Amino acid sequence: MSQAVRIDSETGRKLFATRAAKATDRIAGKGYSIVEDAALKTLPPPPPGAVFDAEEQARYRKFKEARSGAADYIRLEGEFARYLEDVYSDAPVPRDALDDDCEILVIGAGFGALLLWYRLMKAGFTDVRFCEKGGDVGGTWYWNRYPGIACDVESYSYLPLLEEMGHIPSMKFASGFEILEYCQLMAERFGFYDRCLFHTTVEETVWDDKARRWIVKTDRGDAMRACFVVLANGILTTPRLARIEGMETFRGEAFHTSRWNYNIELQGKRVGIIGTGATAVQVVPEIAKVVKSLHVFQRTPSSIDVRDQRATTEEEYATWPHEKDWAVKRRERLALISAGRTALQGNDDFLSGKIVEYKRAKKHERELSPEEMIRAQLNTNFRIMEQIRGRVDAVVKDAKTAAALKPYYPYGCKRPTFHDEYLSAFNLDHVHLVDTAPTGVKLINQRGVVHGGVEYPLDVLIYATGFEWMGTGSFNMIRGLGGRTLKEKWEAEGTKTFLGMHSAGFPNLLIMNGPQGGGGQFNFTRVAEMHAHYIVWALETVRARGAATIDVTQEAEEEYTQHCAEMDLLSAPLRDCLSYYNGDGKAKPGSLAYYGGGKRWHDRREAAQTSMTPYRLA
Ligand code: NDP
């Protein structure tokens, strides 16, 4: 047995030492700056009487239709596979392949897995093993270390287990580097490292019905047997590249934002970035500070809302810990704010419990029908978007650049972004927006990007082109009863789950933060928290009833899936746009990236846990 695996003398179980993270001195940075200039962090008021009328609707529709079919991506395979290399860790720690048993095997070592481990440990489940592709914990925060990275849900509600850790983040929107360090602290404190196989990618998960075990095979030659498998591997983790002719001929340096190559010096270089999603919006202002020239190739502009970053105050450090469960309560208050923008701005007085109303509730003379509610929401969204567009005019000096930076889609269609330095970056002489709408960049040559007959020579090209939705092999190669894979099932029948946590025919498989999985709106951590509690409940229930397996009935799954589709159809007018949230307009209702039922998920979960009718225990 190698150094990487040893036996715990107390329990007789295997403990691991496979963490391969490098010292992080070259890969440290900060997120949002504190901006003092009030003009840069205010939204102008909406024009009086602004409503989403037929004329505006037609304009939005035109904007969408022009882009229709333009989204075209490739996987990082073949010559692009090198962009997937783990640049943050040393080589994998050598170890022998494992072919042993464990009770619970969790795929992933990000927030979901860390939280789950804490809850499992507290509930007395200790025969738990984790497999993680990267060299350290953190998941999203392990891979994404680009300059400017920070969370967009306020960090006091976003970071898990703050009370248990006795920790308060240093900024309202903590940088990704601080979050990664926090993940490492959690892992050390809770003994996670001993249980995790790093640099281990699960390639196949096959149910052996006779043995009532999952056989989990990895790229390290392992064939482990587990009673339960939990997917905590995230749904937006596999990087993707735009399909662009000639991209392989480019002679400069190139990389994807989720594998930021800090060995490539950007100081004084001609840099290009393709994409203007949430990632690029954080990257652009930071690298603009050092590069010689920056060309931002945009297909669809993001909505750039106010960030208003601030440091945690001395008073907050001193007083918050006095409230029992302060962070859990804060997270609950944040979850009460259902409108995305209000929540993401996070009113401090409301969240800290100083005030109980975060905004004056609008009173209607009678209860609105669902259609009227959507109409009202569209109008509110339109006014916010008018303010977002007004901000572009107020900040960006060049009229042509300003026009191109204005988004015309319902608020939330392209993931809302927040920044107080992004728009003003385009006022710098060396920063240029290249509007590639509606097709996007289509040609790259040895020297750089070519668009509209103009060549943009570059030393470094950065792909900020996002991630494949559920692209990981862990989702694709799960073979349940009868040898059918989860992918085959969902491709044939559409996404089908119960509560987003189980899929019928896949006993003892539990899914965290997967499709159709509700429980916490937009705050991933709250969803993960709810799912961790649910998983502990499911495992305890199996134990308490002397059963070996838990599955769900077809009827329960059909009914839940139908519910997800209805929720999607109801809110469809709010998503009359193209984004990865709706499979670029192609996702079937019920198969969207996110669950739209809000509190209804909890109602269904509670009803199921009380009646037990959706479950098959054997
Ligand atoms: P996205 O998928 O959101 O953005 C990809 C970008 O690439 C889009 O702007 C897309 O344009 C553009 N693009 C694709 N092909 C081309 C082309 N050929 N030419 C020009 N542009 C092109 O990826 P991100 O990495 O920005 O974000 C992914 C998700 O990660 C976010 O939605 C968010 O959920 C999360 N995230 C969260 C952060 C946080 O919480 N702080 C920070 C960053 C990311 P188009 O819109 O036209 O398709």
Side-chain angles (χ1 to χ4, degrees), residues 45-63:
V51 280
F52 193 46
D53 57 19
E55 204 176 305
E56 296 296 349
Q57 204 161 2
R59 186 171 193 177
Y60 274 36
R61 189 62 56 76
K62 207 169 140 210
F63 186 88

Side-chain angles (χ1 to χ4, degrees), residues 149-408:
I149 187 168
C151 59
D152 272 338
V153 171
E154 62 131 27
S155 41
Y156 316 126
S157 301
Y158 179 68
L159 268 58
L161 303 172
L162 285 172
E163 297 95 343
E164 290 81 352
M165 291 289 292
H167 185 88
I168 297 181
S170 69
M171 308 295 284
K172 181 156 187 186
F173 302 97
S175 84
F177 303 94
E178 181 172 334
I179 299 174
L180 174 61
E181 255 175 51
Y182 181 71
C183 289
Q184 293 165 332
L185 283 177
M186 281 193 288
E188 272 161 18
R189 178 88 57 89
F190 303 136
F192 185 92
Y193 284 121
D194 289 342
R195 286 168 176 82
C196 190
L197 294 165
F198 291 103
H199 281 144
T200 300
T201 302
V202 172
E203 294 188 323
E204 209 184 36
T205 308
V206 180
W207 178 247
D208 176 345
D209 201 39
K210 242 194 218 147
R212 301 209 279 193
R213 294 280 186 282
W214 287 102
I215 318 275
V216 180
K217 295 194 176 165
T218 76
D219 64 344
R220 301 292 294 268
D222 307 307
M224 299 171 277
R225 289 170 299 277
C227 304
F228 298 91
V229 166
V230 180
L231 301 183
N233 48 303
I235 42 181
L236 268 184
T237 47
T238 309
R240 63 182 187 181
L241 293 176
R243 186 192 303 279
I244 304 173
E245 191 190 323
M247 55 204 290
E248 68 289 349
T249 64
F250 180 60
R251 290 234 184 99
E253 303 278 8
F255 55 85
H256 186 275
T257 48
S258 69
R259 304 288 189 276
W260 195 273
N261 194 337
Y262 281 90
N263 294 320
I264 297 171
E265 187 53 73
L266 297 184
Q267 184 104 31
K269 297 273 173 63
R270 298 167 303 171
V271 177
I273 183 163
I274 299 182
T276 52
T279 299
V281 167
Q282 293 186 328
V283 168
V284 164
E286 279 310 300
I287 61 173
K289 292 173 187 165
V290 298
V291 299
K292 179 175 168 199
S293 66
L294 179 60
H295 284 88
V296 181
F297 298 95
Q298 169 190 279
R299 180 167 65 205
T300 307
S302 279
S303 60
I304 317 289
D305 206 332
V306 168
R307 179 64 302 164
D308 203 9
Q309 168 74 309
R310 67 171 182 82
T312 309
T313 65
E314 288 307 321
E315 191 207 332
E316 288 166 341
Y317 280 124
T319 56
W320 284 355
H322 295 314
E323 185 189 14
K324 192 172 175 306
D325 298 332
W326 71 267
V328 170
K329 287 189 188 143
R330 193 173 172 106
R331 193 153 34 245
E332 276 165 14
R333 286 181 208 120
L334 187 73
L336 286 177
I337 311 175
S338 59
R341 179 167 185 269
T342 332
L344 288 165
Q345 283 188 317
N347 179 310
D348 279 314
D349 287 341
F350 173 73
L351 293 174
S352 62
K354 281 190 191 160
I355 57 169
V356 288
E357 291 253 356
Y358 60 90
K359 62 175 182 182
R360 203 171 300 146
K362 210 184 239 168
K363 294 265 184 293
H364 296 283
E365 282 169 10
R366 61 183 168 79
E367 206 176 310
L368 299 184
S369 69
E371 292 72 26
E372 287 169 323
M373 285 286 278
I374 295 286
R375 183 81 228 155
Q377 246 170 300
L378 278 170
N379 269 329
T380 307
N381 283 355
F382 179 69
R383 279 191 288 276
I384 295 170
M385 289 303 275
E386 284 288 87
Q387 292 182 272
I388 299 267
R389 291 186 282 265
R391 186 188 194 204
V392 177
D393 279 330
V395 175
V396 179
K397 296 200 173 109
D398 176 61
K400 195 168 159 228
T401 306
L405 282 167
K406 287 186 209 168
Y408 290 91

Side-chain angles (χ1 to χ4, degrees), residues 518-541:
Q521 294 93 30
F522 49 85
N523 183 1
F524 176 93
T525 305
R526 188 166 160 87
V527 182
E529 212 167 43
M530 296 304 139
H531 290 188
H533 283 303
Y534 180 86
I535 290 169
V536 170
W537 168 83
L539 297 173
E540 283 178 335
T541 303

